[in-house]
Amino acid sequence: MTPLILVSTEIRAADGLIWHAALDTYLNAVTLTGAAPVLLPSLGDKLDLAAILSRADGVLLTGSRSNVHPSHYGAEPSERHEPYDHDRDGTTLKLIPLAIDMGVPLFAVCRGFQELNVALGGTLITEAQERPGSLDHRAPIGLPQDERFKLAHDVNFEEDSQLAKLLGARCIKVNSVHRQVLDRLSTRLVVEARAPDGTIEAVRVADAHAFAYGVQWHPEYWAATDPASGALFRAFAAAARERAARALPLAAE
């Protein structure tokens, strides 16, 4: 059984053309689990998201250089919040609650992690490194990608963390390639892990009927070599495979 995983896309403009794109690191991480990635274009209301989700076995919300537009969480936009991707916002912020309510397994990474909080009523902080006592969660620009995405700091799991049980660890080392962080947490989310400075690094959806987790770091980058990163994607794919198996009798009718 090969589960189909919807992968969110971002809008890129080049040579007068518009591209709906996802980095191959996410696609490769999905295929490592035996699942099949399917790009979901950022077409917003042009898509029947409920119909698409009824045929999908999982949703992967990817990272991006763009940020969720502040209007979606009650803040005033400024240059400090840029860049934006309105088309992606118009797609993923509607997709997320639908996927959760329909019981479609969901895994949110980086921007996707922030989208998850905003879609469910939470807010964000920009320029997190300016907070008193904060780590600098950004990665240097201009270095080779393996250096930018290196495992940089610890995250500590909460006492009741489901991810800690899944990974068999109370603390793991993760990479850090972001400058926005969660501020007010959605009432539908539960904190799973924090960085040493208290930054929320992982959450789960409390009322979800299937796998529904988000992480601020980038497990896709080291999914083939880092045990914790690979385990996260395998657990997501296992949930998607279970959904696919349940759908088989319906498809045969």
mmCIF file with all atom_site columns, all heavy atoms in Angstrom, residues 64-70 78-86 89 111 179-180:
data_model
loop_
_atom_site.group_PDB
_atom_site.id
_atom_site.type_symbol
_atom_site.label_atom_id
_atom_site.label_alt_id
_atom_site.label_comp_id
_atom_site.label_asym_id
_atom_site.label_entity_id
_atom_site.label_seq_id
_atom_site.pdbx_PDB_ins_code
_atom_site.Cartn_x
_atom_site.Cartn_y
_atom_site.Cartn_z
_atom_site.occupancy
_atom_site.B_iso_or_equiv
_atom_site.pdbx_formal_charge
_atom_site.auth_seq_id
_atom_site.auth_comp_id
_atom_site.auth_asym_id
_atom_site.auth_atom_id
_atom_site.pdbx_PDB_model_num
ATOM 1   N N   . SER A 1 64  ? 9.296  27.344 4.303  1.00 0.00 ? 64  SER A N   1
ATOM 2   C CA  . SER A 1 64  ? 9.427  28.305 3.206  1.00 0.00 ? 64  SER A CA  1
ATOM 3   C C   . SER A 1 64  ? 10.130 29.543 3.734  1.00 0.00 ? 64  SER A C   1
ATOM 4   O O   . SER A 1 64  ? 10.126 29.818 4.941  1.00 0.00 ? 64  SER A O   1
ATOM 5   C CB  . SER A 1 64  ? 8.045  28.684 2.659  1.00 0.00 ? 64  SER A CB  1
ATOM 6   O OG  . SER A 1 64  ? 8.136  29.735 1.720  1.00 0.00 ? 64  SER A OG  1
ATOM 7   N N   . ARG A 1 65  ? 10.721 30.312 2.821  1.00 0.00 ? 65  ARG A N   1
ATOM 8   C CA  . ARG A 1 65  ? 11.296 31.591 3.228  1.00 0.00 ? 65  ARG A CA  1
ATOM 9   C C   . ARG A 1 65  ? 10.216 32.627 3.511  1.00 0.00 ? 65  ARG A C   1
ATOM 10  O O   . ARG A 1 65  ? 10.466 33.624 4.185  1.00 0.00 ? 65  ARG A O   1
ATOM 11  C CB  . ARG A 1 65  ? 12.231 32.104 2.128  1.00 0.00 ? 65  ARG A CB  1
ATOM 12  C CG  . ARG A 1 65  ? 13.520 31.303 2.013  1.00 0.00 ? 65  ARG A CG  1
ATOM 13  C CD  . ARG A 1 65  ? 14.455 31.888 0.984  1.00 0.00 ? 65  ARG A CD  1
ATOM 14  N NE  . ARG A 1 65  ? 15.702 31.137 0.904  1.00 0.00 ? 65  ARG A NE  1
ATOM 15  C CZ  . ARG A 1 65  ? 16.688 31.409 0.076  1.00 0.00 ? 65  ARG A CZ  1
ATOM 16  N NH1 . ARG A 1 65  ? 16.579 32.434 -0.756 1.00 0.00 ? 65  ARG A NH1 1
ATOM 17  N NH2 . ARG A 1 65  ? 17.778 30.675 0.074  1.00 0.00 ? 65  ARG A NH2 1
ATOM 18  N N   . SER A 1 66  ? 9.025  32.415 2.978  1.00 0.00 ? 66  SER A N   1
ATOM 19  C CA  . SER A 1 66  ? 7.934  33.370 3.212  1.00 0.00 ? 66  SER A CA  1
ATOM 20  C C   . SER A 1 66  ? 7.315  33.147 4.583  1.00 0.00 ? 66  SER A C   1
ATOM 21  O O   . SER A 1 66  ? 7.470  32.084 5.199  1.00 0.00 ? 66  SER A O   1
ATOM 22  C CB  . SER A 1 66  ? 6.857  33.223 2.133  1.00 0.00 ? 66  SER A CB  1
ATOM 23  O OG  . SER A 1 66  ? 6.193  31.980 2.252  1.00 0.00 ? 66  SER A OG  1
ATOM 24  N N   . ASN A 1 67  ? 6.606  34.157 5.064  1.00 0.00 ? 67  ASN A N   1
ATOM 25  C CA  . ASN A 1 67  ? 5.934  34.116 6.352  1.00 0.00 ? 67  ASN A CA  1
ATOM 26  C C   . ASN A 1 67  ? 4.431  34.274 6.179  1.00 0.00 ? 67  ASN A C   1
ATOM 27  O O   . ASN A 1 67  ? 3.966  34.875 5.210  1.00 0.00 ? 67  ASN A O   1
ATOM 28  C CB  . ASN A 1 67  ? 6.448  35.237 7.261  1.00 0.00 ? 67  ASN A CB  1
ATOM 29  C CG  . ASN A 1 67  ? 7.911  35.066 7.625  1.00 0.00 ? 67  ASN A CG  1
ATOM 30  O OD1 . ASN A 1 67  ? 8.347  33.963 7.940  1.00 0.00 ? 67  ASN A OD1 1
ATOM 31  N ND2 . ASN A 1 67  ? 8.665  36.153 7.582  1.00 0.00 ? 67  ASN A ND2 1
ATOM 32  N N   . VAL A 1 68  ? 3.677  33.743 7.135  1.00 0.00 ? 68  VAL A N   1
ATOM 33  C CA  . VAL A 1 68  ? 2.231  33.941 7.140  1.00 0.00 ? 68  VAL A CA  1
ATOM 34  C C   . VAL A 1 68  ? 1.943  35.436 7.269  1.00 0.00 ? 68  VAL A C   1
ATOM 35  O O   . VAL A 1 68  ? 2.551  36.124 8.101  1.00 0.00 ? 68  VAL A O   1
ATOM 36  C CB  . VAL A 1 68  ? 1.582  33.176 8.309  1.00 0.00 ? 68  VAL A CB  1
ATOM 37  C CG1 . VAL A 1 68  ? 0.073  33.413 8.329  1.00 0.00 ? 68  VAL A CG1 1
ATOM 38  C CG2 . VAL A 1 68  ? 1.898  31.683 8.226  1.00 0.00 ? 68  VAL A CG2 1
ATOM 39  N N   . HIS A 1 69  ? 1.017  35.934 6.453  1.00 0.00 ? 69  HIS A N   1
ATOM 40  C CA  . HIS A 1 69  ? 0.719  37.367 6.511  1.00 0.00 ? 69  HIS A CA  1
ATOM 41  C C   . HIS A 1 69  ? 0.111  37.718 7.867  1.00 0.00 ? 69  HIS A C   1
ATOM 42  O O   . HIS A 1 69  ? -0.792 37.022 8.372  1.00 0.00 ? 69  HIS A O   1
ATOM 43  C CB  . HIS A 1 69  ? -0.255 37.761 5.396  1.00 0.00 ? 69  HIS A CB  1
ATOM 44  C CG  . HIS A 1 69  ? -0.322 39.233 5.179  1.00 0.00 ? 69  HIS A CG  1
ATOM 45  N ND1 . HIS A 1 69  ? -1.161 40.047 5.901  1.00 0.00 ? 69  HIS A ND1 1
ATOM 46  C CD2 . HIS A 1 69  ? 0.371  40.053 4.337  1.00 0.00 ? 69  HIS A CD2 1
ATOM 47  C CE1 . HIS A 1 69  ? -1.006 41.301 5.510  1.00 0.00 ? 69  HIS A CE1 1
ATOM 48  N NE2 . HIS A 1 69  ? -0.069 41.326 4.561  1.00 0.00 ? 69  HIS A NE2 1
ATOM 49  N N   . PRO A 1 70  ? 0.597  38.789 8.522  1.00 0.00 ? 70  PRO A N   1
ATOM 50  C CA  . PRO A 1 70  ? 0.146  39.144 9.869  1.00 0.00 ? 70  PRO A CA  1
ATOM 51  C C   . PRO A 1 70  ? -1.361 39.394 9.994  1.00 0.00 ? 70  PRO A C   1
ATOM 52  O O   . PRO A 1 70  ? -1.918 39.269 11.085 1.00 0.00 ? 70  PRO A O   1
ATOM 53  C CB  . PRO A 1 70  ? 0.937  40.421 10.178 1.00 0.00 ? 70  PRO A CB  1
ATOM 54  C CG  . PRO A 1 70  ? 2.148  40.334 9.319  1.00 0.00 ? 70  PRO A CG  1
ATOM 55  C CD  . PRO A 1 70  ? 1.690  39.667 8.056  1.00 0.00 ? 70  PRO A CD  1
ATOM 56  N N   . SER A 1 78  ? 4.440  44.617 8.314  1.00 0.00 ? 78  SER A N   1
ATOM 57  C CA  . SER A 1 78  ? 5.567  45.537 8.166  1.00 0.00 ? 78  SER A CA  1
ATOM 58  C C   . SER A 1 78  ? 6.666  44.807 7.398  1.00 0.00 ? 78  SER A C   1
ATOM 59  O O   . SER A 1 78  ? 6.582  43.599 7.149  1.00 0.00 ? 78  SER A O   1
ATOM 60  C CB  . SER A 1 78  ? 6.094  45.982 9.529  1.00 0.00 ? 78  SER A CB  1
ATOM 61  O OG  . SER A 1 78  ? 6.810  44.930 10.153 1.00 0.00 ? 78  SER A OG  1
ATOM 62  N N   . GLU A 1 79  ? 7.710  45.536 7.048  1.00 0.00 ? 79  GLU A N   1
ATOM 63  C CA  . GLU A 1 79  ? 8.823  44.917 6.346  1.00 0.00 ? 79  GLU A CA  1
ATOM 64  C C   . GLU A 1 79  ? 9.467  43.811 7.178  1.00 0.00 ? 79  GLU A C   1
ATOM 65  O O   . GLU A 1 79  ? 10.050 42.871 6.639  1.00 0.00 ? 79  GLU A O   1
ATOM 66  C CB  . GLU A 1 79  ? 9.870  45.974 5.985  1.00 0.00 ? 79  GLU A CB  1
ATOM 67  C CG  . GLU A 1 79  ? 9.411  46.956 4.912  1.00 0.00 ? 79  GLU A CG  1
ATOM 68  C CD  . GLU A 1 79  ? 10.502 47.931 4.519  1.00 0.00 ? 79  GLU A CD  1
ATOM 69  O OE1 . GLU A 1 79  ? 11.628 47.802 5.068  1.00 0.00 ? 79  GLU A OE1 1
ATOM 70  O OE2 . GLU A 1 79  ? 10.243 48.807 3.674  1.00 0.00 ? 79  GLU A OE2 1
ATOM 71  N N   . ARG A 1 80  ? 9.349  43.922 8.480  1.00 0.00 ? 80  ARG A N   1
ATOM 72  C CA  . ARG A 1 80  ? 9.951  42.924 9.360  1.00 0.00 ? 80  ARG A CA  1
ATOM 73  C C   . ARG A 1 80  ? 9.252  41.568 9.267  1.00 0.00 ? 80  ARG A C   1
ATOM 74  O O   . ARG A 1 80  ? 9.819  40.555 9.664  1.00 0.00 ? 80  ARG A O   1
ATOM 75  C CB  . ARG A 1 80  ? 9.934  43.424 10.807 1.00 0.00 ? 80  ARG A CB  1
ATOM 76  C CG  . ARG A 1 80  ? 10.843 44.633 11.027 1.00 0.00 ? 80  ARG A CG  1
ATOM 77  C CD  . ARG A 1 80  ? 10.553 45.296 12.366 1.00 0.00 ? 80  ARG A CD  1
ATOM 78  N NE  . ARG A 1 80  ? 10.932 44.468 13.496 1.00 0.00 ? 80  ARG A NE  1
ATOM 79  C CZ  . ARG A 1 80  ? 12.167 44.340 13.952 1.00 0.00 ? 80  ARG A CZ  1
ATOM 80  N NH1 . ARG A 1 80  ? 13.171 44.966 13.342 1.00 0.00 ? 80  ARG A NH1 1
ATOM 81  N NH2 . ARG A 1 80  ? 12.424 43.592 14.995 1.00 0.00 ? 80  ARG A NH2 1
ATOM 82  N N   . HIS A 1 81  ? 8.015  41.566 8.781  1.00 0.00 ? 81  HIS A N   1
ATOM 83  C CA  . HIS A 1 81  ? 7.283  40.305 8.629  1.00 0.00 ? 81  HIS A CA  1
ATOM 84  C C   . HIS A 1 81  ? 7.498  39.671 7.260  1.00 0.00 ? 81  HIS A C   1
ATOM 85  O O   . HIS A 1 81  ? 7.088  38.530 7.039  1.00 0.00 ? 81  HIS A O   1
ATOM 86  C CB  . HIS A 1 81  ? 5.780  40.539 8.813  1.00 0.00 ? 81  HIS A CB  1
ATOM 87  C CG  . HIS A 1 81  ? 5.369  40.973 10.176 1.00 0.00 ? 81  HIS A CG  1
ATOM 88  N ND1 . HIS A 1 81  ? 5.269  42.300 10.528 1.00 0.00 ? 81  HIS A ND1 1
ATOM 89  C CD2 . HIS A 1 81  ? 5.034  40.264 11.278 1.00 0.00 ? 81  HIS A CD2 1
ATOM 90  C CE1 . HIS A 1 81  ? 4.862  42.390 11.787 1.00 0.00 ? 81  HIS A CE1 1
ATOM 91  N NE2 . HIS A 1 81  ? 4.724  41.173 12.269 1.00 0.00 ? 81  HIS A NE2 1
ATOM 92  N N   . GLU A 1 82  ? 8.088  40.387 6.330  1.00 0.00 ? 82  GLU A N   1
ATOM 93  C CA  . GLU A 1 82  ? 8.210  39.906 4.950  1.00 0.00 ? 82  GLU A CA  1
ATOM 94  C C   . GLU A 1 82  ? 9.305  38.832 4.839  1.00 0.00 ? 82  GLU A C   1
ATOM 95  O O   . GLU A 1 82  ? 10.148 38.719 5.730  1.00 0.00 ? 82  GLU A O   1
ATOM 96  C CB  . GLU A 1 82  ? 8.521  41.097 4.031  1.00 0.00 ? 82  GLU A CB  1
ATOM 97  C CG  . GLU A 1 82  ? 7.395  42.106 3.967  1.00 0.00 ? 82  GLU A CG  1
ATOM 98  C CD  . GLU A 1 82  ? 7.730  43.328 3.103  1.00 0.00 ? 82  GLU A CD  1
ATOM 99  O OE1 . GLU A 1 82  ? 8.899  43.421 2.628  1.00 0.00 ? 82  GLU A OE1 1
ATOM 100 O OE2 . GLU A 1 82  ? 6.858  44.172 2.905  1.00 0.00 ? 82  GLU A OE2 1
ATOM 101 N N   . PRO A 1 83  ? 9.272  38.058 3.712  1.00 0.00 ? 83  PRO A N   1
ATOM 102 C CA  . PRO A 1 83  ? 8.355  38.109 2.563  1.00 0.00 ? 83  PRO A CA  1
ATOM 103 C C   . PRO A 1 83  ? 7.058  37.342 2.829  1.00 0.00 ? 83  PRO A C   1
ATOM 104 O O   . PRO A 1 83  ? 6.986  36.536 3.760  1.00 0.00 ? 83  PRO A O   1
ATOM 105 C CB  . PRO A 1 83  ? 9.162  37.434 1.457  1.00 0.00 ? 83  PRO A CB  1
ATOM 106 C CG  . PRO A 1 83  ? 9.994  36.420 2.189  1.00 0.00 ? 83  PRO A CG  1
ATOM 107 C CD  . PRO A 1 83  ? 10.366 37.081 3.494  1.00 0.00 ? 83  PRO A CD  1
ATOM 108 N N   . TYR A 1 84  ? 6.062  37.591 1.994  1.00 0.00 ? 84  TYR A N   1
ATOM 109 C CA  . TYR A 1 84  ? 4.750  36.960 2.122  1.00 0.00 ? 84  TYR A CA  1
ATOM 110 C C   . TYR A 1 84  ? 4.474  36.041 0.938  1.00 0.00 ? 84  TYR A C   1
ATOM 111 O O   . TYR A 1 84  ? 5.148  36.111 -0.097 1.00 0.00 ? 84  TYR A O   1
ATOM 112 C CB  . TYR A 1 84  ? 3.650  38.019 2.193  1.00 0.00 ? 84  TYR A CB  1
ATOM 113 C CG  . TYR A 1 84  ? 3.811  39.035 3.306  1.00 0.00 ? 84  TYR A CG  1
ATOM 114 C CD1 . TYR A 1 84  ? 3.738  40.402 3.029  1.00 0.00 ? 84  TYR A CD1 1
ATOM 115 C CD2 . TYR A 1 84  ? 4.027  38.635 4.613  1.00 0.00 ? 84  TYR A CD2 1
ATOM 116 C CE1 . TYR A 1 84  ? 3.878  41.342 4.045  1.00 0.00 ? 84  TYR A CE1 1
ATOM 117 C CE2 . TYR A 1 84  ? 4.169  39.572 5.626  1.00 0.00 ? 84  TYR A CE2 1
ATOM 118 C CZ  . TYR A 1 84  ? 4.091  40.926 5.346  1.00 0.00 ? 84  TYR A CZ  1
ATOM 119 O OH  . TYR A 1 84  ? 4.232  41.855 6.340  1.00 0.00 ? 84  TYR A OH  1
ATOM 120 N N   . ASP A 1 85  ? 3.473  35.207 1.100  1.00 0.00 ? 85  ASP A N   1
ATOM 121 C CA  . ASP A 1 85  ? 2.987  34.347 0.022  1.00 0.00 ? 85  ASP A CA  1
ATOM 122 C C   . ASP A 1 85  ? 1.479  34.212 0.219  1.00 0.00 ? 85  ASP A C   1
ATOM 123 O O   . ASP A 1 85  ? 0.995  33.277 0.867  1.00 0.00 ? 85  ASP A O   1
ATOM 124 C CB  . ASP A 1 85  ? 3.679  32.980 0.075  1.00 0.00 ? 85  ASP A CB  1
ATOM 125 C CG  . ASP A 1 85  ? 3.353  32.098 -1.126 1.00 0.00 ? 85  ASP A CG  1
ATOM 126 O OD1 . ASP A 1 85  ? 2.299  32.305 -1.743 1.00 0.00 ? 85  ASP A OD1 1
ATOM 127 O OD2 . ASP A 1 85  ? 4.142  31.175 -1.427 1.00 0.00 ? 85  ASP A OD2 1
ATOM 128 N N   . HIS A 1 86  ? 0.726  35.172 -0.335 1.00 0.00 ? 86  HIS A N   1
ATOM 129 C CA  . HIS A 1 86  ? -0.714 35.218 -0.117 1.00 0.00 ? 86  HIS A CA  1
ATOM 130 C C   . HIS A 1 86  ? -1.415 33.988 -0.691 1.00 0.00 ? 86  HIS A C   1
ATOM 131 O O   . HIS A 1 86  ? -2.411 33.521 -0.127 1.00 0.00 ? 86  HIS A O   1
ATOM 132 C CB  . HIS A 1 86  ? -1.300 36.484 -0.744 1.00 0.00 ? 86  HIS A CB  1
ATOM 133 C CG  . HIS A 1 86  ? -0.799 37.750 -0.115 1.00 0.00 ? 86  HIS A CG  1
ATOM 134 N ND1 . HIS A 1 86  ? -1.238 38.176 1.127  1.00 0.00 ? 86  HIS A ND1 1
ATOM 135 C CD2 . HIS A 1 86  ? 0.109  38.668 -0.539 1.00 0.00 ? 86  HIS A CD2 1
ATOM 136 C CE1 . HIS A 1 86  ? -0.632 39.316 1.433  1.00 0.00 ? 86  HIS A CE1 1
ATOM 137 N NE2 . HIS A 1 86  ? 0.195  39.636 0.448  1.00 0.00 ? 86  HIS A NE2 1
ATOM 138 N N   . ASP A 1 89  ? -0.980 31.161 1.782  1.00 0.00 ? 89  ASP A N   1
ATOM 139 C CA  . ASP A 1 89  ? -1.865 31.406 2.925  1.00 0.00 ? 89  ASP A CA  1
ATOM 140 C C   . ASP A 1 89  ? -3.302 31.037 2.588  1.00 0.00 ? 89  ASP A C   1
ATOM 141 O O   . ASP A 1 89  ? -4.012 30.415 3.394  1.00 0.00 ? 89  ASP A O   1
ATOM 142 C CB  . ASP A 1 89  ? -1.827 32.883 3.333  1.00 0.00 ? 89  ASP A CB  1
ATOM 143 C CG  . ASP A 1 89  ? -0.520 33.305 3.973  1.00 0.00 ? 89  ASP A CG  1
ATOM 144 O OD1 . ASP A 1 89  ? 0.287  32.428 4.340  1.00 0.00 ? 89  ASP A OD1 1
ATOM 145 O OD2 . ASP A 1 89  ? -0.301 34.524 4.103  1.00 0.00 ? 89  ASP A OD2 1
ATOM 146 N N   . ARG A 1 111 ? 7.541  26.770 8.490  1.00 0.00 ? 111 ARG A N   1
ATOM 147 C CA  . ARG A 1 111 ? 6.415  27.647 8.164  1.00 0.00 ? 111 ARG A CA  1
ATOM 148 C C   . ARG A 1 111 ? 5.105  26.893 8.381  1.00 0.00 ? 111 ARG A C   1
ATOM 149 O O   . ARG A 1 111 ? 4.132  27.455 8.871  1.00 0.00 ? 111 ARG A O   1
ATOM 150 C CB  . ARG A 1 111 ? 6.492  28.145 6.719  1.00 0.00 ? 111 ARG A CB  1
ATOM 151 C CG  . ARG A 1 111 ? 5.400  29.195 6.397  1.00 0.00 ? 111 ARG A CG  1
ATOM 152 C CD  . ARG A 1 111 ? 5.206  29.360 4.902  1.00 0.00 ? 111 ARG A CD  1
ATOM 153 N NE  . ARG A 1 111 ? 4.763  30.676 4.485  1.00 0.00 ? 111 ARG A NE  1
ATOM 154 C CZ  . ARG A 1 111 ? 3.493  31.039 4.319  1.00 0.00 ? 111 ARG A CZ  1
ATOM 155 N NH1 . ARG A 1 111 ? 2.515  30.191 4.589  1.00 0.00 ? 111 ARG A NH1 1
ATOM 156 N NH2 . ARG A 1 111 ? 3.197  32.258 3.893  1.00 0.00 ? 111 ARG A NH2 1
ATOM 157 N N   . ARG A 1 179 ? 13.210 32.683 12.035 1.00 0.00 ? 179 ARG A N   1
ATOM 158 C CA  . ARG A 1 179 ? 13.270 33.887 12.871 1.00 0.00 ? 179 ARG A CA  1
ATOM 159 C C   . ARG A 1 179 ? 11.916 34.213 13.477 1.00 0.00 ? 179 ARG A C   1
ATOM 160 O O   . ARG A 1 179 ? 11.818 35.063 14.356 1.00 0.00 ? 179 ARG A O   1
ATOM 161 C CB  . ARG A 1 179 ? 13.780 35.084 12.065 1.00 0.00 ? 179 ARG A CB  1
ATOM 162 C CG  . ARG A 1 179 ? 12.961 35.450 10.850 1.00 0.00 ? 179 ARG A CG  1
ATOM 163 C CD  . ARG A 1 179 ? 13.678 36.497 9.996  1.00 0.00 ? 179 ARG A CD  1
ATOM 164 N NE  . ARG A 1 179 ? 12.950 36.825 8.778  1.00 0.00 ? 179 ARG A NE  1
ATOM 165 C CZ  . ARG A 1 179 ? 12.032 37.777 8.689  1.00 0.00 ? 179 ARG A CZ  1
ATOM 166 N NH1 . ARG A 1 179 ? 11.738 38.512 9.753  1.00 0.00 ? 179 ARG A NH1 1
ATOM 167 N NH2 . ARG A 1 179 ? 11.414 38.007 7.546  1.00 0.00 ? 179 ARG A NH2 1
ATOM 168 N N   . GLN A 1 180 ? 10.855 33.552 13.016 1.00 0.00 ? 180 GLN A N   1
ATOM 169 C CA  . GLN A 1 180 ? 9.544  33.700 13.644 1.00 0.00 ? 180 GLN A CA  1
ATOM 170 C C   . GLN A 1 180 ? 9.282  32.504 14.546 1.00 0.00 ? 180 GLN A C   1
ATOM 171 O O   . GLN A 1 180 ? 9.741  31.390 14.272 1.00 0.00 ? 180 GLN A O   1
ATOM 172 C CB  . GLN A 1 180 ? 8.445  33.802 12.584 1.00 0.00 ? 180 GLN A CB  1
ATOM 173 C CG  . GLN A 1 180 ? 8.498  35.111 11.805 1.00 0.00 ? 180 GLN A CG  1
ATOM 174 C CD  . GLN A 1 180 ? 7.179  35.431 11.120 1.00 0.00 ? 180 GLN A CD  1
ATOM 175 O OE1 . GLN A 1 180 ? 7.081  35.431 9.914  1.00 0.00 ? 180 GLN A OE1 1
ATOM 176 N NE2 . GLN A 1 180 ? 6.170  35.712 11.916 1.00 0.00 ? 180 GLN A NE2 1
#
